[in-house]
Amino acid sequence: MPLKQYEIATIDGDGIGPEVCQATVAVLREACGADLLNFSHHDGGADHYARTGHVLPPDTFAACKTAHAILHGAAGMPGITYADGTEVGNDLHLQLRFKLDLYANVRPVRLWKGVRSPLRDWQAGQIDYVIVRENTEGLYASRGGGINLRGEVCTDTLVVTRKGVERVARFSFELSRKRQGAPRDGKRRMTVCDKANILRSYAFFRAVCDEVAQEYGDVEIDYAYVDAMTVHLVKRPDYYDVIVAENMFGDIISDLGAATIGGMGLSPSAELGDHHGLFQGAHGSAPDIAGQDLASPLATILSGALMLRWLGDRHDDTRLVSAADRVEQAVEQVLAEGDAVPRDLGGQAGCRAMTAAVIRRLATERQDTGIAETAT
Ligand code: ATP
């Protein structure tokens, strides 16, 4: 059922987090009108930890839990670490991931018009797949729980459960059903990326995916070992539709996928569970360029579009789904027409100029179609 208004909890975080998050809020307000989304701002991140001892303060967590969706900039500062040497900032989204059970990390890899891929023979439309990274178990489940024995031997354990694989596999098949298939042949395809030839945990991951595949005769199941996958994503990216992978493998191959379509500055991310969704760009907090108006907000803006579509689907609200389309079209027009080109794509436009360019396109489209009345 569509709601009158949706509560969005935002956490700016560290480094470029505040600029890209606030840029996205401005774009989403333009796309949805002033009243459809209500944004509330909350503390959290490495700097906040340094000041207060909390990376995810209890009131921020409470707000995230009750909100309809969570929008996050980025968190993490290189010097702010725990005693074991691991970075504090990552704990913001890791805690949210585990506490809110956000088991599917959705990372679309799409080559936009106007962006030159380092894979020079590929055009917009030919790279368009989604990596679904299992987000709650795998090797990263051991974070904070590994053993360091007298400074001599360290172990971290890879955890794979039937429930964990079943739900992320089912999610991936369902996602494929909503898409148009792989650019190469239009086939709906769910590729299981693992290392089943070496480790039992990955063989189990694959076997459970195979079992779930029985429910989805309309989607082709396909397999790739992760080392081969790094080659395939460079040589034949058009073959892929949806790829599911264990947590660490998904993390690694999604950076590779991002590089093929113009970099992390263009790569959105959605972390989804059955009840909650967290949206942020795939990049980190980039402290080297923070506060200088150098960051590209596009990854966070595109994550905002994923948020609108996810909310729209959940609440059967076409206003949100069409706002998501408009945000993506505005980004596509800005890139295709070169209204503004971000620095990480070889241009000069900073965060403010990129945001203004996207908002201008949205405003023009609003005037052209008279969409304002229906969106607000
Ligand atoms: P994390 O481990 O938290 O993902 P990271 O160590 O991989 O972070 P990032 O913070 O993503 O690193 O930054 C990597 C490089 O990419 C840096 O040089 C940074 O300036 C650049 N970068 C990251 N995000 C953006 C962005 N939105 N716009 C422009 N450059 C960016």
Side-chain angles (χ1 to χ4, degrees):
M1 260 270 283
L3 303 177
K4 197 159 177 288
Q5 192 175 58
Y6 298 85
E7 297 295 329
I8 313 296
T10 69
I11 312 172
D12 282 353
D14 306 303
I16 61 170
E19 28 192 319
V20 296
C21 194
Q22 285 157 27
T24 301
V25 169
V27 166
L28 298 184
R29 281 212 172 104
E30 179 66 33
C32 296
D35 301 325
L36 192 55
L37 306 177
N38 184 44
F39 295 94
S40 59
H41 300 278
H42 304 278
D43 291 328
D47 270 342
H48 191 76
Y49 173 86
R51 278 183 275 115
T52 66
H54 291 286
V55 63
L56 177 67
D59 52 341
T60 297
F61 177 66
C64 290
K65 201 171 171 193
T66 51
H68 294 109
I70 309 155
L71 179 69
H72 173 44
M77 293 306 272
I80 304 180
T81 57
Y82 294 122
D84 65 3
T86 58
E87 263 200 37
V88 168
N90 291 323
D91 253 355
L92 176 75
H93 55 253
L94 283 170
Q95 283 190 32
L96 286 169
R97 231 173 246 179
F98 290 113
K99 289 180 175 171
L100 299 179
D101 203 20
L102 308 173
Y103 61 83
N105 183 356
V106 176
R107 295 191 158 185
V109 178
R110 171 175 170 185
L111 182 59
W112 296 86
K113 269 189 215 151
V115 177
R116 264 185 64 193
S117 168
L119 311 182
R120 64 178 181 280
D121 295 333
W122 301 94
Q123 307 299 323
Q126 291 184 299
I127 304 181
D128 189 350
Y129 57 87
V130 181
I131 295 170
V132 180
R133 163 188 172 189
E134 200 297 318
N135 214 27
T136 52
E137 43 185 63
L139 191 56
Y140 295 169
S142 283
R143 180 175 155 94
I147 293 169
N148 180 337
L149 199 60
R150 299 186 298 274
E152 297 286 344
V153 179
C154 282
T155 59
D156 286 301
T157 307
L158 200 159
V159 180
V160 179
T161 69
R162 174 172 290 280
K163 176 185 166 188
V165 184
E166 273 179 3
R167 65 185 184 176
V168 80
R170 201 163 274 127
F171 180 97
S172 304
F173 280 112
E174 292 289 343
L175 180 62
S176 179
R177 276 188 172 164
K178 289 190 204 137
R179 292 171 45 84
Q180 307 308 313
R184 174 179 288 198
D185 51 14
K187 278 196 183 158
R188 296 209 159 90
R189 178 172 294 123
M190 210 287 270
T191 304
V192 185
C193 172
D194 58 40
K195 198 67 186 160
N197 52 340
I198 301 292
L199 292 181
R200 283 183 184 157
S201 48
Y202 290 120
F204 179 66
F205 188 96
R206 183 179 285 206
V208 177
C209 287
D210 268 336
E211 285 173 27
V212 175
Q214 305 305 313
E215 300 164 30
Y216 295 90
D218 52 326
V219 181
E220 180 181 291
I221 186 156
D222 171 58
Y223 313 94
Y225 298 133
V226 67
D227 44 348
M229 194 56 149
T230 62
V231 178
H232 296 330
L233 292 185
V234 172
K235 295 271 195 191
R236 53 168 206 189
D238 61 334
Y239 183 74
Y240 295 101
D241 171 21
V242 175
I243 301 166
V244 71
E246 174 270 331
N247 207 336
M248 179 180 64
F249 286 169
D251 191 13
I252 295 170
I253 64 169
S254 53
D255 275 22
L256 171 61
T260 65
I261 53 91
M264 304 293 273
L266 266 182
S267 298
S269 170
E271 304 186 48
L272 307 178
D274 292 332
H275 307 291
H276 302 279
L278 166 67
F279 300 82
Q280 62 176 316
H283 55 75
S285 59
D288 52 328
I289 56 166
Q292 302 163 59
D293 193 28
L294 296 177
S296 166
L298 294 181
T300 316
I301 290 172
L302 292 171
S303 306
L306 295 182
M307 181 180 86
L308 296 181
R309 189 165 295 114
W310 177 76
L311 276 172
D313 286 347
R314 272 175 84 74
H315 295 277
D316 208 8
D317 194 333
T318 52
R319 296 170 303 176
L320 290 167
V321 176
S322 65
D325 292 342
R326 288 200 300 280
V327 172
E328 287 179 350
Q329 279 156 15
V331 169
E332 179 154 51
Q333 285 163 349
V334 167
L335 291 169
E337 302 302 323
D339 299 3
V341 182
R343 304 177 81 91
D344 59 340
L345 293 180
Q348 291 298 318
C351 189
R352 281 198 288 265
M354 288 309 304
T355 310
V358 175
I359 289 177
R360 248 191 328 269
R361 283 283 176 179
L362 282 166
T364 309
E365 199 263 352
R366 219 175 231 270
Q367 282 159 9
D368 289 351
T369 58
I371 219 91
E373 287 72 32
T374 50
T376 52

